[in-house]
Amino acid sequence: MKLSDIETLNAAVRARRPMALVTWPAAGRQELLPHPDQPGGDALPAGLAEVLRERFRIDRSGMSEIAGEEAFVRVFNPSLQMIIIGAVHIAQALIPMSKALGYAPTVIDPRTAFNNEERFVSVPRDTRWPDEALADLAIDARTAFIALTHDPKIDDPALEIALAGNPFYIGALGSRRTHASRVERLTAKGIGEDQLARIHAPIGLDIGAVGAPEIAVSIIAEVTAALRGKGG
């Protein structure tokens, strides 16, 4: 890899921008390329863009055929992160599952009676209100965003910010009736129907979950489906 490519890659890693190093062994050629959906990616040939998009989706490097030529695609994806709004029992069950799958979780909840070191050991926590706390976090295509407080004063502003970003998953706790009310409130804030449709609510796959641990299982399953392009 050329020194200029190393510098570009390091800058991309710091900025959480996905990159791929594509090597054509037969031609002895390398290119450092962006994700097709990132700035500069729209200029990629269709076949190359399709291969890169799939490699980024599965988060796995390997050999691929591109326009009839074998190439090795090395993927540099930003690390996965999970932003959890609400220091509730479901969050306590969800965090170890998320860590096992490679996510870096952060809990945001201004209610210090819930969001404390005793309940969330060795987990990054923020006791500021979401509009302030989220300003310091990158909500990007490698982010799962989960709202669990069931309190509109906390969840709604957080969801507004998430919808303005590009997380691959947005989920919110609550019944269908609760979500219908949420949609009305967010619509009144000027958020369009297409954007609101991005919210998975009621959150989690419908597995008949009972209790916090099972609800956490349903959430992590739905997040995984969305990450791997299997979400409905």
Side-chain angles (χ1 to χ4, degrees):
M1 188 187 300
K2 296 180 293 186
L3 178 59
S4 59
D5 285 343
I6 294 174
E7 293 172 346
T8 299
L9 180 59
N10 286 338
V13 169
R14 289 192 296 270
R16 291 183 58 83
R17 293 196 310 271
M19 301 291 289
L21 182 66
V22 183
T23 303
W24 283 269
R29 180 166 55 92
Q30 280 188 330
E31 284 185 285
L32 185 64
L33 301 172
H35 189 290
D37 298 332
Q38 294 285 319
D42 55 351
L44 296 172
L48 176 57
E50 181 181 355
V51 168
L52 291 185
R53 189 173 280 109
E54 178 63 11
R55 283 289 173 187
F56 281 118
R57 183 187 71 81
I58 65 175
D59 201 9
R60 187 173 297 171
S61 303
M63 295 296 297
S64 295
E65 184 176 320
I66 303 172
E69 188 176 354
E70 289 293 314
F72 184 82
V73 180
R74 185 176 180 186
V75 172
F76 296 91
N77 254 334
S79 58
L80 290 166
Q81 64 176 350
M82 182 175 288
I83 298 174
I84 301 172
I85 308 298
V88 297
H89 291 307
I90 297 171
Q92 288 177 295
L94 181 61
I95 284 169
M97 298 179 195
S98 70
K99 287 183 175 180
L101 294 178
Y103 291 84
T106 299
V107 177
I108 297 173
D109 196 327
R111 303 171 301 179
T112 54
F114 299 104
N115 193 5
N116 56 58
E117 181 68 25
E118 291 181 4
R119 301 181 76 239
F120 294 92
V121 180
S122 301
V123 178
R125 297 178 298 104
D126 199 318
T127 56
R128 294 177 293 175
W129 287 83
D131 56 348
E132 186 177 357
L134 292 172
D136 295 332
L137 295 174
I139 304 175
D140 55 28
R142 296 282 284 173
T143 302
F145 193 97
I146 297 167
L148 299 176
T149 72
H150 219 284
D151 183 342
K153 296 191 302 296
I154 301 174
D155 282 351
D156 284 10
L159 289 169
E160 285 186 67
I161 294 169
L163 290 168
N166 188 36
F168 73 87
Y169 177 88
I170 303 174
L173 186 67
S175 66
R176 286 180 173 81
R177 179 179 295 179
T178 297
H179 186 58
S181 297
R182 177 188 294 130
V183 167
E184 288 182 7
R185 294 192 303 271
L186 294 176
T187 299
K189 294 287 187 69
I191 299 176
E193 184 177 347
D194 290 346
Q195 284 290 81
L196 292 171
R198 296 170 60 196
I199 303 174
H200 292 77
I203 197 170
L205 296 182
D206 185 4
I207 59 173
V210 177
E214 290 186 3
I215 294 172
V217 169
S218 75
I219 293 172
I220 203 68
E222 188 171 59
V223 168
T224 302
L227 177 67
R228 300 307 177 197
K230 300 296 183 180

